[in-house]
Amino acid sequence: MQTSLHAQSPGSIPISAAPSSSSTPETYSVELERKLEAISSALAVTHQQLEQSSQEIEQLRDELAQIKRLLAATQSGRIESSTSVDAAKATAAAIEDLQERQQTTEAQVKVHDQTKVESNSKYPLRVTGLLLFNSFVNRGSVDNVDLPEAALSSQNNTTGNGSTGGTFRQTILGLQGYGPRIAGAQTSAEVDLDFFAGLAYGGYATSAGTVRMRTASINLDWAEDSIQAGLVMPLISPLSPTSYAMVAEPALAGAGNLWTWAPQLRYTHQIPLRSGKRLQLEFGLWDPPTAGYSTNELFRVPSPSEASKQPGYESRVSYGTLAGDHPFQIGFSGYYSRQSYPGNQRVDSWAATTDWRVPLGRHVEVSGEGYRGRALGGLGGGVYKDVLFGIYTSTGLNAYRGLNAAGGWAQLKAYFTQSLEANASIGLDNGYAEDFHEFIFPPTVTSTQLRARNKMVFANLIFRPKTYLILSPEYRRIWTWPIYGTVNTADIFTLSAGYQF
């Protein structure tokens, strides 16, 4: 059996058509609704025909049973009737004809089920998604009321010392397409969108959100090899904690989870071992974003990593099981990229990481990641800072220096039933204090640039009363330390309700 090696989007969930370049969105929408209505009507008629056919078959089976009893009596000499024999033959022929019609009708139903929405390529296309509502109560000042990642000082904060509200901005919509085989590889592609790009401009729209591309990928999958080009998470950080309160950015982002989605070209090779285990080798080229690099609102400018004229390099070696309800894996990864700054200054960005996922029996699982590196703001480390800038005390000159950082996260998951689970997680992102103390910062330095450490813990319950329904209460606490001053804290209470399709 061929196993897909590329990373799957969390909402992987049939068929959508892209409007042609000559059609307007309104015309395409009307046409699509008309086609859906026609298909729905055809399905209703088909199901009705199936029910009628089933009833007729049952009636004919009863008649056939009666005729067989009559034939048995005739053979024993009690009843002699050629009419019964003829009726039996006629009934058997009718049953055979009805069975053939039923098989044809069932095949038509399957075709209708597979073509609910049409694509120009005629290859299977699935619509996936997670309609997600998050209600929240924040105690303390935070950087983003919808999805807090850092606690702020309440001094000079215009938002006060808390907030409450609700949002659908973390809703996800996705498409998955499956194409022909090329050189023995199964081709596929997928894209996920959400509404976390920013706030909609207009009256009464502050909580609506605008659409952004979340992740996307094009995949070639062989039995033991895979090639992927995509906007995806870095291969050196393949796991994330489980939370429906933190979806637009993965749980513990900014607090030990290196998660940033960015363009990546990846090759994967699996080496099957005994007892269902496998050794997996991965190599990737990554276009690392640098936190806060863009100052142009109209056009994208090169990040310091892109200005170095070379990609980031990633590699990972992992060992674990191929599949199963409770897979085991452990991996070790490395990362390197170069960054260019004004004054011909260069910074080497690097990271060494490890990840693990270990089942403890059937009902408990522990997982996590750890890292040590420098200039990891583009990956989500160093509290979203690649470098520090100011007067370097050892030389007395303005300088850029990569911020050393270490961190990680761990999660304990417990399965109570098939529909109920609990998760408890902790994460820490720590920028080295000695790096800060080597600088005299300019008066324009911001609180974000002086943020040195971020810690987060959360616990939640996830209940699925039905396969596609999700209810999840969660509590989260955040500690954020500036390099100067006292720690800031915030408590976050959320209740999430979702419908996954």
Side-chain angles (χ1 to χ4, degrees), residues 294-301:
S294 180
T295 59
N296 191 317
E297 297 180 355
L298 296 178
F299 305 103
R300 194 169 82 89
V301 298

Side-chain angles (χ1 to χ4, degrees), residues 32-330:
L32 187 59
E33 290 178 359
R34 180 177 57 78
K35 290 183 179 180
L36 285 173
E37 290 176 357
I39 292 173
S40 298
S41 300
L43 275 175
V45 172
T46 303
H47 283 296
Q48 185 177 5
Q49 293 175 349
L50 272 176
E51 292 177 358
Q52 292 176 352
S53 298
S54 298
Q55 293 174 0
E56 292 175 1
I57 288 175
E58 290 299 325
Q59 292 175 357
L60 290 172
R61 282 176 176 170
D62 292 339
E63 294 176 5
L64 181 61
Q66 293 176 3
I67 292 171
K68 286 181 177 179
R69 287 195 295 270
L70 290 173
L71 286 174
T74 300
Q75 291 173 358
S76 63
R78 288 175 297 180
I79 300 177
E80 294 182 357
S81 174
S82 61
T83 305
S84 298
V85 175
D86 294 336
K89 291 180 179 180
T91 303
I95 290 177
E96 184 178 355
D97 179 66
L98 280 175
Q99 289 176 337
E100 183 178 351
R101 286 163 54 190
Q102 185 179 27
Q103 291 174 356
T104 302
T105 304
E106 289 174 346
Q108 291 175 346
V109 170
K110 291 180 179 179
V111 170
H112 284 306
D113 287 339
Q114 294 172 0
T115 58
K116 291 181 180 178
V117 184
E118 184 180 357
S119 66
N120 290 335
S121 69
K122 304 302 181 182
Y123 285 101
L125 191 65
R126 302 176 60 202
V127 178
T128 67
L130 173 64
L131 185 62
L132 183 62
F133 173 71
N134 304 105
S135 58
F136 56 84
V137 176
N138 301 328
R139 285 191 352 191
S141 298
V142 294
D143 57 341
N144 185 347
V145 296
D146 286 5
L147 184 55
E149 293 182 2
L152 307 180
S153 172
S154 59
Q155 297 179 350
N156 301 322
N157 194 318
T158 58
T159 61
N161 196 34
S163 56
T164 184
T167 180
F168 277 94
R169 294 176 64 205
Q170 299 193 76
T171 291
I172 299 174
L173 299 176
L175 293 175
Q176 292 181 340
Y178 303 89
R181 288 189 172 273
I182 298 177
Q186 176 65 56
T187 61
S188 63
E190 59 186 280
V191 60
D192 284 335
L193 310 174
D194 64 20
F195 300 85
F196 222 74
L199 301 179
Y201 179 78
Y204 307 103
T206 56
S207 60
T210 55
V211 178
R212 70 166 179 175
M213 181 181 292
R214 173 185 172 91
T215 59
S217 66
I218 300 174
N219 313 289
L220 296 173
D221 292 313
W222 290 269
E224 297 175 357
D225 298 271
S226 175
I227 296 176
Q228 179 189 70
L231 178 71
V232 292
M233 66 196 314
L235 68 83
I236 66 171
S237 180
L239 304 177
S240 281
T242 306
S243 171
Y244 283 98
M246 296 174 279
V247 174
E249 292 180 359
L252 300 182
N257 187 3
L258 304 180
W259 67 275
T260 314
W261 302 307
Q264 179 177 248
L265 179 63
R266 175 169 64 180
Y267 168 73
T268 303
H269 176 66
Q270 286 187 350
I271 303 174
L273 304 175
R274 294 182 178 179
S275 304
K277 301 295 193 301
R278 58 101 174 96
L279 182 68
Q280 184 165 286
L281 308 176
E282 299 173 86
F283 175 77
L285 300 177
W286 203 55
D287 181 6
T290 302
Y293 72 86
S294 180
T295 59
N296 191 317
E297 297 180 355
L298 296 178
F299 305 103
R300 194 169 82 89
V301 298
S303 70
S305 295
E306 291 171 330
S308 71
K309 302 181 180 65
Q310 61 175 296
Y313 305 96
E314 307 169 282
S315 61
R316 180 172 179 263
V317 178
S318 61
Y319 170 80
T321 55
L322 284 169
D325 294 334
H326 305 286
F328 162 79
Q329 75 174 60
I330 183 170

Side-chain angles (χ1 to χ4, degrees), residues 450-480:
L450 294 178
R451 196 175 293 159
R453 182 189 301 175
N454 203 42
K455 178 182 176 182
M456 192 182 303
V457 298
F458 75 84
N460 61 45
L461 290 173
I462 299 177
F463 176 54
R464 294 177 177 267
K466 297 292 183 180
T467 304
Y468 300 109
L469 295 179
I470 300 165
L471 295 174
S472 179
E474 180 174 299
Y475 167 72
R476 181 159 81 255
R477 183 169 177 83
I478 304 173
W479 295 263
T480 303

